[in-house]
Amino acid sequence: MNEWLQGSVYFGFFLSLAAYWAGMAIQKKFPYTICNPLLIASVIVIVILLGCGIDYDTFNSGAQYITYFLTPSTVCLAIPMYRQMRVLKKNLAAILISLVSGCIAGALTIWALCRLSGLNGVIYHSLQPKSVTSAIAMGVAEEIGGDSALAVAAVIVTGLFGAIIARGVCRLFRITSPIAVGLACGNAAHAMGTSKALEFGEVEGAMSSLAVVAAGIITVVLAPVFAGLIP
């Protein structure tokens, strides 16, 4: 099977698109939080790969082309942020404090969990950049001694989990401020959280877009500092 599929370099590309389309269709039919299109697509791809005995390298030889769209799609997130520039300027101090606090809290949480679980330094360093975009997470993980593949996996799981529980957490803790909701989604769950924040409203989406960019910069600065806590 692998040898036959290796002749089609776009197999992974079209499988990913078809799985995501199926996920969107399922979400429309069953509009529940757990029916996240990305989660459904991931499950579909995993089941097909395991069922057909297709290894990851064969799948990724075509799926990797999708990553080329990550940069332009991320840049598009600047549009809602630009439209809400007035809100950004008005709440600049609170926004900066929130973002820095969120990044520090995330780093300390990873450190505490890894210490309690007895995980080694490679896993710890790979998990540190879990709340930023994949491109940044891979570079940061490699620089501080982690594994880039594990870092990407952590980013995906974090984003999916954050997007799924975002609305429930906001309801549970009665978080109604559009700015707070947006910053939380973007800071905790990067681009996937931003896609969820856009479902709340334009202000939420704009603040989440800002959080994605700022969290990436802050993480690049903080990761080497926290890396020494677990050698």
Side-chain angles (χ1 to χ4, degrees), residues 66-79 191 194 209:
I66 294 180
T67 60
Y68 297 155
F69 296 100
L70 286 176
T71 300
S73 63
T74 302
V75 172
C76 289
L77 297 176
I79 296 176
T194 300
S209 301

Side-chain angles (χ1 to χ4, degrees), residues 106-117 124 128 226 229-230:
L108 289 176
T109 300
I110 292 298
W111 171 78
L113 291 175
C114 287
R115 291 286 293 183
L116 291 173
S117 303
Y124 168 67
Q128 272 294 327
F226 284 94
L229 297 180
I230 299 182

Side-chain angles (χ1 to χ4, degrees), residues 14-38:
F14 288 110
L15 175 59
S16 300
L17 292 181
Y20 187 76
W21 176 84
M24 291 290 292
I26 293 174
Q27 185 191 48
K28 289 181 179 179
K29 189 173 183 62
F30 304 100
Y32 304 113
T33 303
I34 193 62
C35 294
N36 184 283
L38 289 174

Side-chain angles (χ1 to χ4, degrees), residues 47-60:
V47 169
I48 291 177
L49 295 183
L50 291 177
C52 298
I54 304 170
D55 60 50
Y56 174 76
D57 290 335
T58 300
F59 164 76
N60 192 51

Side-chain angles (χ1 to χ4, degrees), residues 92-113:
L92 184 59
I95 290 172
L96 291 177
I97 293 173
S98 172
L99 292 174
V100 174
S101 300
C103 290
I104 293 175
L108 289 176
T109 300
I110 292 298
W111 171 78
L113 291 175

Side-chain angles (χ1 to χ4, degrees), residues 56 70 110 114 120-160 188-190 192 219 223:
Y56 174 76
L70 286 176
I110 292 298
C114 287
N120 61 40
V122 175
I123 297 178
Y124 168 67
H125 297 147
S126 302
L127 295 179
Q128 272 294 327
K130 68 175 181 58
S131 294
V132 298
T133 59
S134 298
I136 297 176
M138 291 173 63
V140 171
E142 291 177 350
E143 286 294 326
I144 62 177
D147 182 84
S148 60
L150 182 57
V152 171
V155 168
I156 294 174
V157 172
T158 300
L160 286 172
H190 50 83
M192 294 185 191
T219 299

